[in-house]
């Protein structure tokens, strides 16, 4: 039986572990902190990139595959664990775009088969009456879904334990063991976990993990801050993306506003400036939020990569070592496809997508 060690217990690490375990591998996750508590927990859970036509085609291909499978996957996790990731088809409303960008978006939607509609001010008001009045037209993607990512990682964690995946928390990897160019395991302090396959899935820390091993993986941390309002159910039904800021309504009525983009290294501190910026943007988009309690403010570190295209597949120079990292702002929506493609490549299977665009060089 193939033994695989996954370095990193975020969403991508856990999804990769599940794929390999379902394929018959013995799988162990080693996580520097606690599983699912970094960007996997901190993000918004929209199952679409923001302004998806702005991304390179390889990202869209990962997104499309994942979107087609997420509802069934969420239902499977609920059946296995009793924890509901709360997949919901809330749609994505995008006001404030220029005519030129709307034309680009419609061309992209036609090319990839997405349903994308143009709504006038009255149609927007009818669809989402609490949203501030719109001047001109807005784009509407009714098929976009979301899920509650903290519940997703909690359900996935429970499913992995039930499936027999070993999870070691508070266990930073200090070295990868190898013999004659073949990976043989990983070292965590004084302990060595033997392995035939090792996968770096360290999120924003993936570049640092690889660099300690003498490998260059261009992944860096990019901080994002978010707020949560404790609204009553029904105030907002759709995800709204306006001038780069988004509101996400949850089933219980809570509404998230995100997010900042900050190049501050591994600093995860929240700031008063970001809180005020996000508050004002939330009030601009949904004026009724001025009367709603602000419940929580947090920050997370995204795994940034050049052009946002993740690295998925073998690491040149060391047989048995692979990487699945650099999904940037799209870790949740590309996660299922990223993990399946990673499994395909690790086990020499036919890949679900052409892998060349995601390979390390």
């Amino acid at each position: 039986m193939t033994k695989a060690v996954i370095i990193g217990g975020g969403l991508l690490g856990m999804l990769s572990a599940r794929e390999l375990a379902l394929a018959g591998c013995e799988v162990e996750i080693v996580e520097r902190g606690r599983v699912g508590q970094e960007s996997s927990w901190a993000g918004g859970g929209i199952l679409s990139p923001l302004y998806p036509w702005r991304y390179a085609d390889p990202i869209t291909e990962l997104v499309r595959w994942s979107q087609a499978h997420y509802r069934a996957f969420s239902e499977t996790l609920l059946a296995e664990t009793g924890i509901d990731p709360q997949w919901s088809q809330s749609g994505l409303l995008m006001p404030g775009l220029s005519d030129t960008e709307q034309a680009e978006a419609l061309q992209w939607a036609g090319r990839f088969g997405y349903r994308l509609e143009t709504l006038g001010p009255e149609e927007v008001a009818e669809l989402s009456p609490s949203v501030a009045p719109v001047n001109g037209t807005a784009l509407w993607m009714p098929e976009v879904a979301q899920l509650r990512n903290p519940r997703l990682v909690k359900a996935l964690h429970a499913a992995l334990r039930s499936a027999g995946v070993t999870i070691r928390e508070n266990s930073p990897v200090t070295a990868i063991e190898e013999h004659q160019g073949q990976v043989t395991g990983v070292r965590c302090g004084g302990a060595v976990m033997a392995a035939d396959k090792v996968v770096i899935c360290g999120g924003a820390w993936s570049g640092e993990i690889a660099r300690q091993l003498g490998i260059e993986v261009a992944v860096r941390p990019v901080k994002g801050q978010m707020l949560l309002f404790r609204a009553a159910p029904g105030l907002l039904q759709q995800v709204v993306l306006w001038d780069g800021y988004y509101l996400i309504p949850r089933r219980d009525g809570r509404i998230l506003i995100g997010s900042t983009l900050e190049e501050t290294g591994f600093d995860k501190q929240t700031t008063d400036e970001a809180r005020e910026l996000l508050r004002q943007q939330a009030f601009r988009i949904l004026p009724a939020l001025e009367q709603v309690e602000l419940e929580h403010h947090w920050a997370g570190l995204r795994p940034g990569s050049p052009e946002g295209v993740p690295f998925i597949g073998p690491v040149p120079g060391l047989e048995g070592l692979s990487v699945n990292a650099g999904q940037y702002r799209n870790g949740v929506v590309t996660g299922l496809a990223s993990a399946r493609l990673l499994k395909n490549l690790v086990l020499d299977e036919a890949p679900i997508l052409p892998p060349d665009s995601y390979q390390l060089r």
Side-chain angles (χ1 to χ4, degrees):
M1 178 185 291
T2 299
K3 169 68 181 295
V5 171
I6 310 294
I7 303 175
L11 178 63
L12 270 296
M14 289 194 285
L15 288 173
S16 299
R18 180 180 173 88
E19 287 285 345
L20 291 169
L22 291 175
C25 297
E26 179 186 352
V27 183
E28 185 168 359
I29 293 174
V30 287
E31 161 60 37
R32 59 185 292 277
R34 294 175 56 211
V35 296
Q37 296 301 301
E38 294 293 346
S39 63
S40 305
W41 179 92
I46 305 172
L47 294 179
S48 171
L50 306 179
Y51 306 116
W53 57 89
R54 297 179 182 177
Y55 287 88
D57 287 358
I59 297 175
T60 300
E61 297 294 354
L62 290 170
V63 167
R64 284 203 305 173
W65 196 96
S66 295
Q67 287 170 328
H69 293 83
Y70 246 120
R71 183 173 189 172
F73 179 67
S74 298
E75 291 170 351
T76 297
L77 287 181
L78 173 59
E80 290 181 8
T81 69
I83 302 168
D84 187 0
Q86 296 188 357
W87 183 97
S88 302
Q89 186 175 320
S90 50
L92 176 62
L93 179 66
M94 294 170 284
L97 296 168
S98 69
D99 291 344
T100 299
E101 182 144 32
Q102 290 192 38
E104 292 173 358
L106 291 165
Q107 189 276 333
W108 165 88
R111 187 158 63 93
F112 285 102
Y114 280 101
R115 183 179 169 190
L116 179 62
E117 302 172 9
T118 302
L119 304 182
E122 292 183 357
E123 293 171 301
V124 172
E126 181 177 356
L127 175 70
S128 195
S130 296
V131 170
V134 170
N135 293 321
T137 56
L139 293 181
W140 168 236
M141 296 184 73
E143 296 175 341
V144 168
Q146 57 150 304
L147 45 74
R148 206 157 179 167
N149 41 299
R151 297 182 64 88
L152 172 65
V153 297
K154 185 177 180 181
L156 192 51
H157 187 189
L160 290 176
R161 289 199 176 278
S162 296
V165 173
T166 300
I167 300 175
R168 297 179 184 270
E169 297 181 303
N170 302 309
S171 299
V173 169
T174 54
I176 289 180
E177 302 289 305
E178 59 93 13
H179 179 68
Q180 296 181 348
Q182 168 70 49
V183 69
T184 59
V186 303
R187 181 179 295 276
C188 298
V192 175
M193 278 67 77
D196 306 297
K197 307 288 186 180
V198 173
V199 185
I200 298 173
C201 291
W205 286 264
S206 295
E208 293 296 304
I209 293 169
R211 198 166 295 116
Q212 292 172 9
L213 307 170
I215 302 161
E216 184 58 36
V217 178
V219 175
R220 71 191 192 283
V222 182
K223 183 165 73 173
Q225 299 188 51
M226 298 184 72
L227 304 180
L228 180 67
F229 290 88
R230 193 182 183 90
L235 178 60
L236 182 67
Q237 301 292 330
Q238 300 78 29
V239 176
V240 182
L241 173 62
W242 199 336
D243 293 339
Y245 296 92
Y246 52 85
L247 296 180
I248 308 172
R250 300 304 199 198
R251 288 185 187 176
D252 61 7
R254 287 177 168 86
I255 297 174
L256 285 75
I257 170 74
S259 91
T260 63
L261 285 171
E262 304 173 60
E263 300 275 359
T264 58
F266 290 96
D267 169 31
K268 289 199 303 178
Q269 295 295 313
T270 59
T271 65
D272 293 342
E273 292 81 5
R275 182 173 63 250
E276 185 58 25
L277 169 66
L278 292 171
R279 285 178 69 252
Q280 293 305 318
Q281 293 297 331
F283 301 159
R284 176 182 64 84
I285 298 169
L286 194 68
L289 283 178
E290 291 196 55
Q291 309 304 318
V292 174
E293 174 192 356
L294 175 59
E295 184 175 13
H296 191 33
H297 176 199
W298 69 93
L301 298 177
R302 310 175 185 89
S305 58
E307 309 302 322
V309 178
F311 301 105
I312 306 170
V315 174
L318 187 53
E319 186 69 24
L321 180 64
S322 298
V323 63
N324 188 3
Q327 280 76 6
Y328 191 34
R329 306 185 80 177
N330 298 310
V332 177
V333 67
T334 63
L336 292 184
S338 296
R340 179 64 59 86
L341 179 59
L342 183 280
K343 187 263 296 188
N344 295 154
L345 298 175
V346 167
L347 300 182
D348 295 320
E349 301 172 343
I352 57 166
L353 297 171
D356 288 354
S357 297
Y358 315 105
Q359 302 298 287
L360 284 171
R361 306 300 180 192

